[in-house]
Amino acid sequence: LFFLAQTLGLVLFARQLSEEGSSGAAFANLSALLGLILSAVLISSADLGLSAMAMGDKGFTAEALAIAQISVNSGASFGIFFSLAFGLVSIPMIGQASTNVKKYIGYALGVLMTFFLVTELFSIETGDIGEIIVWLGASLVFVAAGFLNLKEE
C-alpha cells in the first residue's frame, strides 16, 4: 500500500509539473506514464501473490508455487521503473524551481535515483543498509518536495 500511494503521488506531482511550455514538461509526462505502469506492476504482483496463497490454502500446492514464482519475478523490473519514474520527475523539479531549496531537492532526488538505477541495472549489492538509505532518502526528498509545492500554492 505504501508503494502504491507513493507512485500515485508521483503521478499527481508529475502531472502538476507537466504544464505545456514549462521547463521539463515532457519529462514530467513520461514520469507520470511510468508511474502508472509501476502502479499496475505493483497491483498485479500483489494480486498474483494473494491468489497463490489462496490456492495453497485449497491444497493446490504445485499451482500455488507456480503463481508465487510469477508474482515474485513480475516485480523484478520494479526498481528500474521506480528509479526512472522518480528520476525523470527530478528534471522538471529542477527546471521549474522557484527557490534554491526546491532546486537542491530536485538534484538530491536525481542523484539518489541515478544511484538506484545503476545499482538495479548492474545488480550491484549495496546491502540492507544501502538500500534503506536510498529508499528513505528518496521518500523523504519526495515528501519534502510535495510539502514545498503545497506550501507555495
Side-chain angles (χ1 to χ4, degrees):
L1 192 58
F2 168 75
F3 291 122
L4 189 59
Q6 209 172 14
T7 57
L8 293 177
L10 166 73
V11 171
L12 293 173
F13 185 58
R15 294 297 301 147
Q16 182 182 7
L17 294 174
S18 66
E19 292 178 21
E20 190 174 332
S22 299
S23 176
F27 293 109
N29 283 325
L30 189 55
S31 176
L33 287 173
L34 285 173
L36 290 173
I37 292 169
L38 185 59
S39 297
V41 167
L42 287 168
I43 291 169
S44 64
S45 180
D47 182 49
L48 286 171
L50 293 173
S51 297
M53 287 191 297
M55 289 184 80
D57 284 344
K58 292 179 181 176
F60 300 108
T61 309
E63 292 85 355
L65 287 174
I67 292 176
Q69 283 297 320
I70 294 169
S71 172
V72 168
N73 292 322
S74 67
S77 59
F78 173 76
I80 294 170
F81 279 127
F82 189 90
S83 60
L84 283 174
F86 279 81
L88 285 173
V89 84
S90 70
I91 295 169
M93 281 174 66
I94 295 166
Q96 297 177 25
S98 57
T99 64
N100 281 337
V101 173
K102 285 185 180 183
K103 191 170 287 212
Y104 295 141
I105 286 176
Y107 283 126
L109 185 63
V111 167
L112 281 168
M113 290 300 105
T114 301
F115 175 76
F116 188 45
L117 180 64
V118 168
T119 58
E120 286 293 314
L121 283 177
F122 298 111
S123 300
I124 299 170
E125 287 295 322
T126 57
D128 289 341
I129 271 300
E131 292 172 5
I132 288 171
I133 289 171
V134 170
W135 279 108
L136 283 178
S139 297
L140 291 174
V141 165
F142 195 67
V143 167
F147 279 124
L148 285 175
N149 247 13
L150 288 175
K151 186 178 176 183
E152 185 178 284
E153 290 182 11

